Amino acid sequence: MARDSRYDILFEPVKIGPVTAPNRFYQTPHAAGLGWQRPKAGAALRGIKAEGGWGVVCTEYCSIHPTSDDSPYGFLTLWDDDDVEALARTADAIHAHGSLAGIELWHGGSHAANRMTRLAGIAPSAIPAMYHLPTTARGMDLADISAFRGWQRDAAIRAKRAGFDIVYVYAGHDYLPFQFLSPRHNQRTDEYGGPLANRVRLLREMIEDTKDAVGEKCAVAVRLAVDELHGPAGITSEGEGRDIVAMLAELPDLWDVNVAGSLGNDSKSARFSPEGYQEPQVAFVKTLTTKPVVSVGRFTSPGVMVSQIRRGIQDFIGAARPSIADPFMPTKIREGREDEIRECIGCNICRAANNEGVHLRCTQNPTIAEEWRRGWHPEKIASYRKREKVLIVGAGPSGLEAALSLGRRGLDVTLADRNAKLGGRILNESALPGLSTWIRVRDWRQHMISKLNNVQVFPSSEMTAEDIAGFGAEHVVLATGATWRRDGVGVNGMERLDLPRALTPDDVFAGAALAGDIVIYDDEHYFMGGALAEKLARAGQRVSIVTPNPSVSSWTAMTDELGFLQARLHEIGLTMQTGRLLLGQGAGHLRLACTASGKESEIACDTLILATGRLPDDRLLHQLSATPQPFAVHRVGDCLQPSSIADAVYSAHRFAREFGEAAGAVPRRERPPVKDFT
Ligand code: ADP
Ligand code: SF4
C-alpha cells in the first residue's frame, strides 16, 4: 500500500552534528535488562528496532566507570577496552539496516549502589545514596571531578571505536550530572556549587570534553531532565530547566529532553498520563536552540507525531515504549499499514521487568528480548508443515494471540467464545479507571485476525466438552481463563475462610448488588484492588480498602505507579487500612488482625469484595481428559497459570511458535565457553 502523504514529513532525514538520521523515528535509550552480561541479546534487540525502521536506535544505560555500578540490574559497561568488542555487535546490528547507533553513557552518582564493585559511591555533596540506604555517597573533591571528566572522555572514545554515531552526555533521571545541576543534591560552595552558572559547569565541561574527544565523527547528545517535578525547590521548565537550555543551547548536537526527577515521571503509565503528556514541560526547548530536539510521550498515532513536528515541539519522534510494543511501527507507517501498528497500552509491564532486574517483557509484544535467546522475530513466524485444524476455546488475550499466531503459521483455526464480544478479561479490566488503553490488546489482535482467511471467529458460542469432541479438530487449545477466588486465600492469607456472602471482582463486573459499607480486601496486590476501589468510590459508593501489605496495590511499585496511585486514592478520600489480615466476616463487619502484632480489630462491612487471587478455569480439560480423545488438548494463558495479561499473551505466543517444533523450555543463554574459565 502507498504511504499516506500526510506522513511524509516523518521520513525526512535530519542532520545531527556530523551524522544524519535517515528519518525522524528515534528510539531513545531505554533499559532492556540485558546489560553487559548479554551482549548478543542486546545487539539482536537493537538490530530488530533498526530493521523495523527506527532511524536512530540507542542502547540502554552504559556505565562509564566501576563507581557507577547498578547491579543487580542489567546495564552496559565501557569500563575498559575489553568492553568495546561486545558493544560493537550492537552498533553493527543497527548499522546493518542503515540506522544511526546511539549510546547512553551513564554515571549514576548517588543512584548507583555499587553492590558488585563495592566501590564508594560519589556525588556532588555527601548525600544519602538514593534507594540504597544506609549508604551515603561521598562528596567529590576537585580531583574526583577531574577524574570523572576523564572517565566520560575515555568512554566516549571507546564508544566511537565500537562504532557508535551518537554519544550521550546524560544529565537526566537524577543521575550524577543532574545531581550537580539540582540545588537539592548539590550543596557545594566551590565553583561547581551555588549559583546556576556554577552548577552547570560540570555539564558544560562534559559536553566540551566529549565533543573534543569524538565530536568530529560522532554527534554529542545531551539528555536533560528539564523539569524534575519537585516544584520551585527543584529544576523546573519555567525556571532553571529553561535557564540551563538557554545557557548551553548551541553546545550539544542534539537535545534529548524529558520530565524526570525519577524514571517514574518520565515513563508514566497510561493510567496517569495521556499520549504526549510531556509536551507542556518540553515544548520550550526548541524555541531556545537551533539544534535538533527529541522527546518522548508514548506516541503511537501518526497524526499526533506529525503534529509534534509541524507545531515545532520536536524534530524527532522519540520513543521507548512504543518501539518496544512495535519495533516495526516506522515501517508500517512508511508502507501505509498504520492500521497494523501494535500500539503500546501504557501498562508499564516493561518497567516492571526493569525494576525486577530481568529481561525486558511487554504486554503487546511477546517477542521483545527474545530475538536472540529464542530466535523470535516480531513480524515473521515459520509456516506450519501441514494444514491441520485447531479449535481454540476462549477469545481473551491468550486465545486471540494463539489464533493470530497459529493463523499466521497457516493452520486452519476456529476461535470460539461464549461472549458476544471478544476480549475476555480485558472487557472488564479496560473499563476500570485509567485502563481504557488496555483494550488495544484485543483490538490489534482482532483486527489482524480479520485479515486472515484461515481463521474463523465465532462469538456467542459456549463450547461444552461434547461440542469440542464433535468438532473434529486435530488440536484443541483451551484458553478459558481464570476466575477470582472466593475463599480469601491470597499472598498473605493462606488459610481458606468460610465467606459465604463475599463477592469477587467477577461478581461486581456481572452487576452484583452493592450495598452499604463496601470493603475491598486486596491480598493480590496488583491493579485490581486499587482500581476497583477507585471505580466504586467515583460512582459514589462508600468504599474502604483493606490489605495485609504496607500499601494498597503494592505490586504497582514495579510498574512505577504506586506513588501516583496512593496520591489518587488519597485524593478521592478512600479509607485504607494496611497491615491487616482478614480473619472472617460477621453481621455488618469484618474481623481483621494486625499483621505485625496479631491484635484483632473490626471494620464495618455490608459488602465484602475479595481481590485475593484467581483460579484457572480448567473444567473443560478435566471433562475432556475423563475419556480418551482422538485429538490433543493444550492449555494457554490464565487457564494454565493465572497471571498478567503479558504472561497470558506470552504463553499463547510461545505455544504457537513451538507448536509441532522440537523447541524445549530452555532458552539460549550467554555464557563464556568453559575453556575460558581460569
Ligand atoms: P486469558 O487471559 O488467558 O486470555 P480470559 O479470562 O481473558 O483468559 O479469557 C477467557 C475467555 O474464555 C473468556 O472470554 C470466556 O468467555 C471464554 N470461555 C471460557 N469458557 C468457555 C467455554 N466453555 N466456551 C466458550 N468460551 C469460553
Ligand atoms: Fe507499552 Fe505495556 Fe509494552 Fe511497556 S509493556 S511497551 S507499557 S504495552
Side-chain angles (χ1 to χ4, degrees):
M1 270 166 68
R3 172 169 89 220
D4 187 325
S5 59
R6 282 175 303 166
Y7 307 144
D8 287 353
I9 194 169
L10 301 174
F11 295 92
E12 291 171 350
V14 181
K15 201 166 165 351
I16 314 173
V19 297
T20 301
N23 60 40
R24 295 184 188 268
F25 291 95
Y26 192 117
Q27 183 245 274
T28 49
H30 70 75
L34 301 171
W36 60 270
Q37 296 98 330
R38 287 173 281 271
K40 293 178 189 169
L45 184 147
R46 304 298 166 182
I48 286 284
K49 303 275 193 87
E51 187 186 336
W54 296 87
V56 178
V57 179
C58 298
T59 61
E60 57 189 331
Y61 59 149
C62 178
S63 170
I64 59 172
H65 190 261
T67 49
S68 185
D69 156 30
D70 212 23
S71 303
Y73 304 102
F75 64 102
L76 299 169
T77 52
L78 269 177
W79 292 348
D80 59 24
D81 291 349
D82 283 351
D83 282 323
V84 173
E85 198 184 324
L87 276 164
R89 272 179 173 264
T90 293
D92 291 349
I94 296 167
H95 290 156
H97 301 282
S99 306
L100 294 181
I103 184 162
E104 187 183 45
L105 300 185
W106 166 76
H107 197 294
S110 64
H111 235 282
N114 301 339
R115 289 290 188 251
M116 174 180 64
T117 61
R118 301 198 66 180
L119 297 180
I122 53 171
S125 316
I127 48 175
M130 280 177 254
Y131 311 126
H132 304 291
L133 292 171
T135 312
T136 293
R138 179 169 66 77
M140 293 162 75
D141 61 22
L142 291 179
D144 292 322
I145 291 177
S146 167
F148 169 76
R149 289 175 57 186
W151 303 336
Q152 167 77 17
R153 205 169 25 236
D154 291 349
I157 290 166
R158 292 188 185 110
K160 182 174 88 169
R161 275 181 38 220
F164 286 92
D165 310 287
I166 302 173
V167 175
Y168 267 72
V169 173
Y170 187 9
H173 299 130
D174 251 345
Y175 294 134
L176 193 122
F178 189 82
Q179 290 160 17
F180 269 83
L181 295 173
S182 164
R184 293 185 309 118
H185 300 307
N186 183 342
Q187 290 134 20
R188 301 177 73 94
T189 51
D190 63 1
E191 66 265 40
Y192 288 93
L196 183 62
N198 284 357
R199 282 180 277 127
V200 158
R201 188 180 308 280
L202 181 64
L203 178 56
R204 181 192 294 278
E205 288 171 346
M206 288 175 75
I207 303 169
E208 287 167 351
D209 292 343
T210 311
K211 285 199 93 163
D212 194 41
V214 301
E216 266 178 39
K217 180 166 182 286
C218 308
V220 174
V222 168
R223 194 172 210 194
L224 176 72
V226 292
D227 200 317
E228 55 176 334
L229 300 184
H230 279 294
I235 304 286
T236 66
S237 55
E238 290 108 30
E240 291 192 338
R242 172 179 276 271
D243 297 340
I244 296 165
V245 177
M247 290 161 97
L248 306 175
E250 300 300 314
L251 210 48
D253 296 312
L254 173 126
W255 285 97
D256 176 346
V257 287
N258 58 28
V259 171
S262 71
L263 282 161
N265 285 329
D266 185 26
S267 48
K268 267 192 188 172
S269 71
R271 201 169 169 184
F272 301 100
S273 67
E275 184 173 357
Y277 63 96
Q278 302 202 14
E279 185 180 320
Q281 282 90 8
V282 302
F284 78 86
V285 177
K286 257 191 78 63
T287 66
L288 297 180
T289 178
T290 63
K291 303 292 174 163
V293 174
V294 63
S295 186
V296 290
R298 259 188 10 258
F299 298 108
T300 57
S301 328
V304 175
M305 297 176 198
V306 168
S307 151
Q308 288 281 306
I309 309 292
R310 290 226 181 277
R311 290 186 296 117
I313 307 300
Q314 50 179 324
D315 300 284
F316 288 98
I317 298 306
R321 287 171 292 176
S323 76
I324 295 168
D326 196 341
F328 276 65
M329 183 164 79
T331 297
K332 289 174 184 175
I333 299 172
R334 195 184 67 228
E335 294 177 353
R337 296 189 287 128
E338 53 273 11
D339 63 305
E340 295 184 11
I341 295 173
R342 195 171 41 234
E343 290 180 289
C344 167
I345 68 168
C347 61
N348 277 9
I349 284 294
C350 49
R351 293 288 315 133
N354 185 225
N355 288 325
E356 292 164 334
V358 295
H359 279 58
L360 183 60
R361 60 185 191 270
C362 169
T363 301
Q364 279 283 58
N365 177 11
T367 69
I368 200 74
E370 303 290 357
E371 300 85 358
W372 181 83
R373 74 169 180 173
R374 292 195 191 273
W376 293 356
H377 188 287
E379 300 298 308
K380 295 179 197 158
I381 189 163
S383 298
Y384 189 63
R385 52 199 147 75
K386 290 184 264 172
R387 186 89 197 238
E388 287 178 348
K389 262 169 111 178
V390 184
L391 170 65
I392 301 171
V393 183
S398 67
L400 286 164
E401 176 63 32
L404 176 60
S405 295
L406 290 172
R408 286 170 67 204
R409 293 195 65 190
L411 284 118
D412 223 331
V413 178
T414 300
L415 175 64
D417 198 292
R418 67 156 73 95
N419 287 337
K421 286 187 183 163
L422 308 187
R425 59 184 286 187
I426 314 179
L427 290 172
N428 292 327
E429 292 173 359
S430 62
L432 292 168
L435 304 188
S436 60
T437 50
W438 290 21
I439 201 70
R440 293 173 178 177
V441 173
R442 176 201 67 182
D443 289 349
W444 181 77
R445 287 170 176 79
Q446 194 171 347
H447 178 64
M448 296 305 288
I449 285 172
S450 73
K451 297 188 178 208
L452 297 173
N453 294 328
N454 53 326
V455 181
Q456 310 304 318
V457 181
F458 294 92
S460 306
S461 302
E462 170 102 36
M463 300 295 288
T464 63
E466 292 73 44
D467 296 331
I468 294 169
F471 187 80
E474 277 105 347
H475 300 274
V476 171
V477 180
L478 300 178
T480 46
T483 51
W484 285 91
R485 56 194 307 162
R486 16 183 109 253
D487 56 5
V489 172
V491 173
N492 295 273
M494 292 292 177
E495 200 181 320
R496 288 186 181 195
L497 301 175
D498 186 23
L499 302 164
R501 284 171 289 116
L503 302 177
T504 70
D506 294 324
D507 299 324
V508 177
F509 292 127
L514 306 175
D517 288 309
I518 302 170
V519 177
I520 297 178
Y521 180 62
D522 172 24
D523 198 11
E524 189 246 9
H525 311 294
Y526 187 23
F527 67 91
M528 182 56 78
L532 196 56
E534 183 183 346
K535 184 180 170 76
L536 298 182
R538 287 193 189 281
Q541 304 274 12
R542 215 162 51 235
V543 51
S544 331
I545 186 156
V546 173
T547 180
N549 275 8
S551 52
V552 167
S553 287
S554 56
W555 195 80
T556 59
M558 291 294 131
T559 50
D560 290 343
E561 294 175 294
L562 184 60
F564 303 118
L565 179 66
Q566 298 300 313
R568 180 172 289 178
L569 295 182
H570 281 292
E571 198 180 288
I572 60 176
L574 198 86
T575 315
M576 292 179 259
Q577 285 204 27
T578 56
R580 295 285 180 281
L581 196 67
L582 178 64
L583 296 182
Q585 186 174 21
H589 70 272
L590 299 178
R591 284 188 300 110
L592 308 174
C594 171
T595 49
S597 65
K599 189 166 177 248
E600 295 195 13
S601 61
E602 288 187 358
I603 179 172
C605 175
D606 301 300
T607 305
L608 167 64
I609 304 171
L610 297 169
T612 61
R614 292 179 305 143
L615 290 169
D617 181 355
D618 49 11
R619 286 168 296 180
L620 284 173
L621 177 80
H622 297 302
Q623 289 161 13
L624 289 167
S625 317
T627 48
Q629 305 291 352
F631 48 83
V633 183
H634 315 268
R635 278 175 297 169
V636 293
D638 291 325
C639 151
L640 180 66
Q641 183 202 9
S643 188
S644 62
I645 299 173
D647 285 347
V649 168
Y650 183 88
S651 143
H653 189 82
R654 184 170 156 234
F655 169 77
R657 286 263 176 191
E658 296 175 358
F659 186 74
E661 307 287 331
V666 182
R668 283 209 287 176
R669 282 169 289 168
E670 298 189 45
R671 286 182 292 204
V674 176
K675 67 178 170 50
D676 290 352
F677 291 1
T678 52

